[in-house]
Structures are given as C-alpha cells and as structure tokens.
Amino acid sequence: MADEVLFDLLHLELICTYASSADECKEFDVSKLETIGFYTGYRLVERLTREWARFKDELDIMKFICKDFWSSVFKKEINNLRTNNQGVYVLHDNAFRFLTKVTNSNQFLSSTPKYLAFTCGLVRGALMNLGITSVVTADVSSPPSCKFQVVAQRM
Amino acid sequence: MTIYNLYIFNSAGSCIYYTEWHRKKQAGMSREEEMKLMYGLIFSLKSFVLKLSPVDCKEGFLNYRTSKYKLNFYETGTGLKFIMNTDVNAVNVRELLQRIYRDVYVEYVVKNPECKMGKEIVSEVFQSKLDKLVRSFPIFSNRIL
C-alpha cells in the first residue's frame, strides 16, 4: 500500500478539482467525486474479498464494510453500526479521516459535504459489487464525527 | 518559566499566524507594523550572523537573549519561519518549534484544503491543537515570573 499521506493529498486535490470550481454558488457539484468513489470502491472490494468465502447475508456484508473495508481504507473501523433490519443502515465514524484535519468545531461546516462525497461513492461501489444496490448519503452534525446512511434497494 | 508569544511567517515574509499566551507589554504599534518590524529584525539578524561568522556556520541564527526574554528562531527547509518568545531560562524551545511545524502545521494546515497556502491561518482545529501542544510542554507555565 502506498503511503497514507499520498492518498490524503490526492483526495484533497480531487476535491479541489471537482468541487471548488462551483465555489461561488452554494451547492457543490459532488456527483463527479461520487462517481470516482463508486468505481474505486467497485474495484477495491474485488481485491479485498479475494480470500473471503461468500457472505451469508446483507448484515454480514455490512459488517465486512464496517470492519475490513473501512480499516483497509481509513486505518480504523466504523465506531457504530445501526440498522432497522429493513435495509437501512447507519454507519457512525467518530473521527472521520478526511475531516479530522479540517475541522473539529462548526467552522467550515458548510463545506463538509464535499469531503464525504468520495467516500459515499466508495461504499456504494463496494456494496454494488457485493450484490447490494443502495443509496448512500452522509451527514455531519458535529465534526469530525459523521454518519453514513445506507439504504439498500429491495427488488 | 513561560512562553510569551509565537509568530509564523511564510517564505514570502508575511505573517500567517500570530498568537500570544502571556504577553505583558504590547508593542505600541499596529499589529501589521509589528509584524513588519519583526520580519525585518529576523531578516537582518540572519544575514548579520552569516556574514560575521568566522567559521562556516550551518544553522545560522538560532536565538538571542536579553535580560528579560529570549527570542527563539526556527526556519524550515521550505522557508517557513517560527519565532517564539520565552523567558530567558527556557530550554528545548527548538524542539517545541520543530514539533509545532511537524505535528501541527503540516497536519492541520498543509493537509487541510480549507487553508489556502501562503494565506493567514484561520483554521480553528489548528489553533486548538497548537494551544494543546504548547501547554503540554514543561516550559509552559501559568505562573508569570
């Protein structure tokens, strides 16, 4: 694995390239970032699961995302996972890697969405390749902790 | 022992950060003027020291001391300048300045896209981490001597 700082800085530049062009209008165009995240996650999970047996069920997959997937990307596990058992999962990270350097108070709160878009895509891509079509959103109430909500689409 | 204040200048010579802990006497001029004066002092001292050195000196200007305070200077490879005023007996200030650079500046300014390079540092997380590090150092003490 390449040095962590390389990933951090590359991610930072991705944000600057794809999100700050729309600096004037309040709404950041984060769909491009999300797409990059999606394909990264899609390919990454292929590599990470090469030594895994097939997953039992959806919850099993979510546990894999929270533990192995998260620690291979962010060097830490998700702090808390909640579910309503109907396809909605909330992943709680108390110190989200891309936010810890940026803010630990309400400063810059309005620009936090762009730091989360890539990761939303990453999770969505990983789940997609494991057979779960989902919608992933993120929300930050008190940085650097944040919540990712995964809504699995039931066919 | 005590730490009075800290200045950070970028390589172009503008002050990107200033903070104080125990400063008992103000300069009697605007902040802006004070920064220019400080930079001028450092700039001149650096060239004095290099020119007047009778031997080849590697580190150059490190600190000076008056009867009341000591000015500590640390310049990084990229030309960033950290200046910290402490009381005369403070030791290991250089180590502290290096740690401020390595553990706080690099982590919370360089890796923070909200901090534009070469501009004044407004990040609150930088401020709080800096304050925490400085206060944790043995030479920092609330007792004003």
Side-chain angles (χ1 to χ4, degrees), chain B residues 33-136:
Chain B
E33 276 178 273
E34 185 192 326
M35 296 310 154
K36 279 187 194 155
L37 201 61
M38 176 55 89
Y39 188 76
L41 170 77
I42 294 302
F43 188 84
S44 311
L45 271 175
K46 257 179 66 183
S47 65
F48 274 142
V49 166
L50 279 180
K51 284 191 185 119
L52 298 181
S53 170
V55 289
D56 212 9
C57 64
K58 216 170 87 199
E59 301 250 43
F61 168 55
L62 297 177
N63 58 56
Y64 73 72
R65 184 151 54 165
T66 72
S67 59
K68 292 288 185 196
Y69 77 105
K70 182 176 172 188
L71 180 142
N72 304 270
F73 174 68
Y74 169 63
E75 186 171 15
T76 69
T78 51
L80 217 58
K81 294 165 186 68
F82 292 79
I83 297 152
M84 182 176 265
N85 287 315
T86 61
D87 74 307
V88 287
N89 300 316
V91 288
N92 284 342
V93 183
R94 199 171 171 74
E95 189 197 328
L96 172 61
L97 290 177
Q98 273 167 344
R99 286 204 35 202
I100 291 177
Y101 172 58
R102 196 190 61 203
D103 298 345
V104 185
Y105 182 84
V106 171
E107 290 299 315
Y108 298 100
V109 175
V110 176
K111 295 185 188 171
N112 182 353
E114 301 296 324
C115 288
K116 301 285 175 274
M117 292 282 97
K119 292 277 179 334
E120 206 176 320
I121 301 167
V122 290
S123 164
E124 283 170 13
V125 59
F126 171 79
Q127 276 172 33
S128 63
K129 298 283 176 185
L130 172 70
D131 197 56
K132 209 172 138 204
L133 174 66
V134 170
R135 281 175 198 278
S136 74

Side-chain angles (χ1 to χ4, degrees), chain A residues 5 101-102 104-105 107 111 115, chain B residues 107 112-114 122 124-125:
Chain A
V5 67
K101 314 279 182 194
V102 177
N104 62 358
S105 60
Q107 195 189 23
S111 56
Y115 296 100
Chain B
E107 290 299 315
N112 182 353
E114 301 296 324
V122 290
E124 283 170 13
V125 59

Side-chain angles (χ1 to χ4, degrees), chain A residues 56-74:
Chain A
K56 261 201 335 275
D57 52 18
E58 206 172 85
L59 189 65
D60 218 27
I61 293 177
M62 289 314 297
K63 281 183 186 159
F64 163 78
I65 294 286
C66 290
K67 288 192 173 139
D68 302 82
F69 184 78
W70 215 260
S71 44
S72 79
V73 179
F74 298 109

Side-chain angles (χ1 to χ4, degrees), chain A residues 135-153:
Chain A
V135 174
V136 181
T137 51
D139 115 86
V140 185
S141 45
S142 54
S145 91
C146 66
K147 278 185 284 193
F148 292 90
Q149 191 178 54
V150 178
V151 181
Q153 237 91 71

